[in-house]
Amino acid sequence: MVIANTIERSLRELGRKKDFAEIQNWVVGLRDWFGVDHVVYHWVSADGEQFGFGSYPPSWVQHYIDKDYLRVHPVILGCFQRFHPVDWKRLDWSSKSARQFRKDAIDFGVGNQGYSVPIRGPNGQFALFTVSHTCSDNRWADLTMTYQRDIILVAHYLNQKALEVKDGGKQKPSRPLSPREVDSLTYLAMGYGRGQVADMLSISEHTLRAYIESARAKLGALNTTHAVARALSEGQILMGGTVLVEESKWPGKDEALIEKVG
């Protein structure tokens, strides 16, 4: 549970940030944690407002603005119609503008590899959380496989924090989750599939789905990953095995489960 405990501590640290400057420093710190060249959060609202946090060099940011790359940004255009994480290699780089963007990005040290998580928020908000690096395809495949779940979780948690700070901390509190909703989201946060969670809770997948949907509604979440992020940020769930499966039976006492999550 070293990775899970580390990411949980990092997310709790983010929850204590008060302003954008503190969030910026936290995001830059993720670069070393993931072992990549750059980590970036990029917000684009329906009216064209945009801002972000991250480790891109100022020279690249200014070049991006000067070239008005927002209009032709292949990653933004490619992710706008998607809801799942996207490896940059799967995007369309065939146009002249896309090829020029890619060349410029590599020249400015952004990296030849990238992985972006599309995020959708209230009032037409669209954001991306991206990690990028310079390495071989095989190295990149290993890295994204290792950190995929953490990248997705951080993306939604960070977006929630950005919304909170932008609104002056006036985030509407969520309704408390039921014990079964807590159990369901906690196991999902620990990386288990829905079938596994249903088996561990001795319920059907249909019943599990009902618990998850109920939790999403209470948390005001857009999807399950967003629900996990919000529940973590509010302290309604904890990663690390603190889930009650049955009365007086904790998964930490189950040797098979310890081996699986340890």
Side-chain angles (χ1 to χ4, degrees):
M1 294 304 297
V2 174
I3 291 178
N5 287 335
T6 302
I7 194 65
E8 181 184 1
R9 287 196 300 270
S10 185
L11 293 177
R12 288 186 178 281
E13 180 184 341
L14 174 62
R16 294 190 290 269
K17 303 305 180 186
K18 303 296 184 182
D19 55 39
F20 288 145
E22 291 184 350
I23 297 175
Q24 162 68 16
N25 291 334
W26 183 87
V27 171
V28 171
L30 287 176
R31 176 177 54 188
D32 295 334
W33 194 86
F34 285 125
V36 295
D37 290 340
H38 294 292
V39 175
V40 172
Y41 168 86
H42 188 185
W43 164 315
V44 182
S45 66
D47 59 5
E49 177 188 10
Q50 59 174 323
F51 72 89
F53 317 106
S55 59
Y56 284 162
S59 57
W60 166 244
V61 175
Q62 188 60 53
H63 184 75
Y64 183 98
I65 295 172
D66 293 343
K67 292 291 187 179
D68 195 18
Y69 270 147
L70 179 63
R71 296 185 301 105
V72 299
H73 192 159
V75 179
I76 290 181
L77 297 177
C79 290
F80 192 73
Q81 301 298 326
R82 293 173 166 86
F83 291 87
H84 300 294
V86 178
D87 191 302
W88 289 3
K89 291 192 294 293
R90 299 181 179 276
L91 298 173
D92 182 5
W93 298 93
S94 61
S95 71
K96 182 179 179 180
S97 60
R99 293 195 302 271
Q100 184 61 51
F101 177 94
R102 181 176 177 82
K103 178 181 181 302
D104 286 357
I106 292 175
D107 288 346
F108 277 86
V110 171
N112 66 320
Q113 309 281 4
Y115 189 82
S116 295
V117 180
I119 314 161
R120 285 165 177 79
N123 303 317
Q125 184 227 7
F126 172 75
L128 285 177
F129 179 72
T130 295
V131 296
S132 62
H133 197 46
T134 300
C135 63
S136 68
D137 288 350
N138 288 339
R139 169 59 182 152
W140 187 243
D142 290 342
L143 193 150
T144 52
M145 179 68 70
T146 299
Y147 290 112
Q148 181 183 53
R149 186 179 69 91
D150 295 330
I151 291 171
I152 295 171
L153 187 59
V154 167
H156 286 273
Y157 196 102
L158 178 57
N159 192 63
Q160 190 65 43
K161 187 63 180 181
L163 287 169
E164 177 186 335
V165 173
K166 189 172 186 294
D167 292 338
K170 297 177 181 178
Q171 182 181 7
K172 183 180 179 181
S174 302
R175 288 181 288 160
L177 301 178
S178 72
R180 277 307 198 195
E181 291 163 355
V182 169
D183 291 354
S184 301
L185 291 188
T186 304
Y187 274 132
L188 292 173
M190 292 168 67
Y192 291 103
R194 293 196 179 202
Q196 293 172 299
V197 175
D199 287 344
M200 287 188 285
L201 297 178
S202 300
I203 58 177
S204 68
E205 289 194 47
H206 177 78
T207 301
L208 175 65
R209 189 179 307 114
Y211 286 134
I212 294 172
E213 292 303 313
S214 175
R216 281 180 56 187
K218 289 181 178 180
L219 294 164
L222 300 173
N223 50 43
T224 303
T225 303
H226 188 199
V228 169
R230 287 214 63 179
L232 276 168
S233 68
E234 295 178 7
Q236 295 209 51
I237 68 172
L238 297 171
M239 289 192 292
T242 54
V243 182
L244 184 60
V245 180
E246 298 173 3
E247 185 176 358
S248 299
K249 182 181 179 183
W250 293 86
K253 295 182 179 180
D254 186 318
E255 293 182 359
L257 186 57
I258 290 175
E259 181 178 352
K260 189 164 191 176
V261 304

